[in-house]
């Protein structure tokens, strides 16, 4: 049959065309293979770059979290700490291994924890956000910090909480200044509204009692001409009010008058 076909007009040209087409197809397939290999390599490089970029981002985020000049803490859905930053540790006086895994409430005063549980946590779990909640935290040495806490919940694709991140601002000094300013204003009001000295001193005692423990409190007046100490106001848990006494008898009150300096008396210095 082949000799018969070979004699047909145009067959040689057709065969030659098919051969050229097959060669072109083969060349195109080779080029496609090379393109696929190049694209695969490009994807590998891109993937490696993305991984590296992601690791750099993680490292940068970790540094940003750790070195932030505000107290930061992360916790799991059970309200146990999973991470805190350096400033958190510095302000509360702990080492990192002393706090990770502990309950968030371990570092709050009982009153603050009760307030959060009753008034803040229900809404926080519902909305996933709370801002500027006033609380008190407890340092390792027992000192209290006045803070404002803002937090949000991170949720998974099912809307379930995964972790929470809280930013905590220490406002202890601001609160102290505000309380002092309020106390001075109240004392000024008392000075203008009191009918007599005993009433004024009672009101001053009440104001100071809001700032610090003042169950024992007295006011001494120095009569320079008579060289006497008088006590127009004297409240003590154990001792009765003393009468006027002459300067020279000694005592802490005379020491303050003599030096002109305030005296902080502690059990160690008595």
């Amino acid at each position: 049959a082949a000799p018969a076909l070979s004699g047909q007009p145009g067959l040689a040209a057709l065969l030659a065309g098919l051969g050229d087409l097959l060669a072109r197809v083969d060349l195109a397939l080779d080029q496609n293979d090379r393109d696929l290999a190049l694209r695969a390599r490009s994807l590998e490089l891109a993937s490696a770059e993305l991984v590296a970029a992601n690791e750099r981002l993680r490292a940068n985020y970790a540094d940003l979290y750790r070195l932030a000049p505000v107290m930061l803490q992360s916790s799991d859905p059970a309200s146990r700490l999973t991470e805190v930053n350096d400033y958190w540790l510095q302000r509360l006086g702990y080492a990192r291994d002393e706090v990770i895994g502990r309950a968030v409430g371990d570092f709050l005063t009982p009153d603050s924890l009760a307030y959060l549980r009753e008034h803040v946590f229900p809404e926080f779990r519902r909305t996933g956000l709370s801002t500027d909640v006033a609380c008190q935290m407890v340092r390792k040495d027992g000192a209290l910090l006045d803070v404002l806490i803002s937090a949000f919940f991170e949720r998974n694709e099912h809307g379930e909480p995964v972790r929470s991140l809280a930013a905590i601002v220490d406002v202890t000094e601001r609160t102290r200044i505000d309380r002092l300013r309020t106390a001075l204003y109240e004392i000024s009001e008392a000075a203008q509204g009191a009918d007599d000295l005993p009433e004024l001193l009672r009101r001053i005692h009440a104001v100071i009692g809001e700032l610090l423990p003042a169950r024992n409190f007295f006011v001494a007046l120095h009569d320079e001409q008579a060289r006497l100490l008088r006590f127009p106001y004297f409240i003590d848990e154990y001792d009765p009010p003393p009468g006027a006494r002459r300067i020279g008898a000694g005592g802490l009150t005379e020491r303050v008058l003599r030096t002109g300096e305030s005296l902080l008396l502690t059990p160690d210095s008595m």
Side-chain angles (χ1 to χ4, degrees):
L5 290 174
S6 61
Q8 295 184 8
L11 181 57
L14 175 61
L15 292 175
L18 287 174
D20 182 61
L21 177 61
L22 290 174
R24 291 176 181 272
V25 169
D26 186 56
L27 181 62
L29 290 174
D30 287 343
Q31 183 62 45
N32 186 61
D33 288 342
R34 288 192 293 271
D35 289 344
L36 288 176
L38 182 60
R39 289 178 183 177
R41 178 57 179 162
S42 298
L43 288 174
E44 290 176 2
L45 292 174
S47 178
E49 290 176 357
L50 286 174
V51 170
N54 187 51
E55 291 301 320
R56 289 195 298 272
L57 183 61
R58 285 179 179 272
N60 291 338
Y61 171 77
D63 287 343
L64 180 64
Y65 184 100
R66 181 173 59 84
L67 301 175
V70 65
M71 299 166 68
L72 297 176
Q73 67 181 37
S74 301
S75 57
D76 61 21
S79 295
R80 295 196 173 275
L81 292 175
T82 57
E83 186 57 86
V84 296
N85 71 338
D86 292 354
Y87 192 65
W88 191 104
L89 296 171
Q90 175 190 332
R91 294 302 299 137
L92 292 180
Y94 286 96
R96 198 176 304 277
D97 58 5
E98 294 179 301
V99 302
I100 300 303
R102 291 178 59 181
V104 170
D106 289 352
F107 307 96
L108 296 167
T109 62
D111 287 345
S112 290
L113 181 57
Y115 175 79
L116 290 176
R117 284 174 171 169
E118 182 176 354
H119 300 286
V120 178
F121 285 166
E123 183 70 7
F124 180 51
R125 292 190 178 97
R126 187 181 69 83
T127 64
L129 181 67
S130 64
T131 56
D132 293 339
V133 179
C135 292
Q136 283 191 312
M137 299 186 75
V138 185
R139 286 177 45 87
K140 186 177 180 178
D141 60 10
L144 301 182
L145 294 183
D146 295 311
V147 300
L148 295 176
I149 302 178
S150 298
F152 75 93
F153 252 137
E154 180 183 342
R155 302 180 184 273
N156 61 21
E157 63 273 15
H158 305 294
E160 301 166 334
V162 176
R163 65 171 181 167
S164 68
L165 174 64
I168 304 168
V169 179
D170 182 359
V171 294
T172 305
E173 184 63 18
R174 184 198 311 172
T175 302
R176 186 186 70 84
I177 292 173
D178 288 343
R179 292 175 65 190
L180 286 175
R181 184 182 295 114
T182 300
L184 291 174
Y185 174 79
E186 291 177 351
I187 289 174
S188 175
E189 289 287 300
Q192 298 183 37
D195 294 330
D196 52 36
L197 182 61
E199 179 187 351
L200 171 61
L201 297 179
R202 280 194 297 271
R203 292 173 65 174
I204 290 175
H205 184 192
V207 171
I208 292 176
E210 294 293 324
L211 297 175
L212 49 88
R215 293 190 299 272
N216 300 322
F217 183 89
F218 71 86
V219 174
L221 296 180
H222 181 203
D223 186 336
E224 294 185 8
Q225 290 185 344
R227 292 185 55 78
L228 289 174
L229 277 180
R230 305 182 190 276
F231 299 88
Y233 188 84
F234 189 96
I235 301 295
D236 193 278
E237 294 178 291
Y238 307 104
D239 298 329
R245 70 181 188 214
R246 289 200 172 276
I247 295 293
L252 296 174
T253 303
E254 286 193 32
R255 176 179 169 180
V256 171
L257 288 172
R258 184 175 63 255
T259 63
E261 298 178 354
S262 60
L263 173 64
L264 176 62
L265 191 63
T266 67
D268 294 335
S269 61
M270 292 181 66

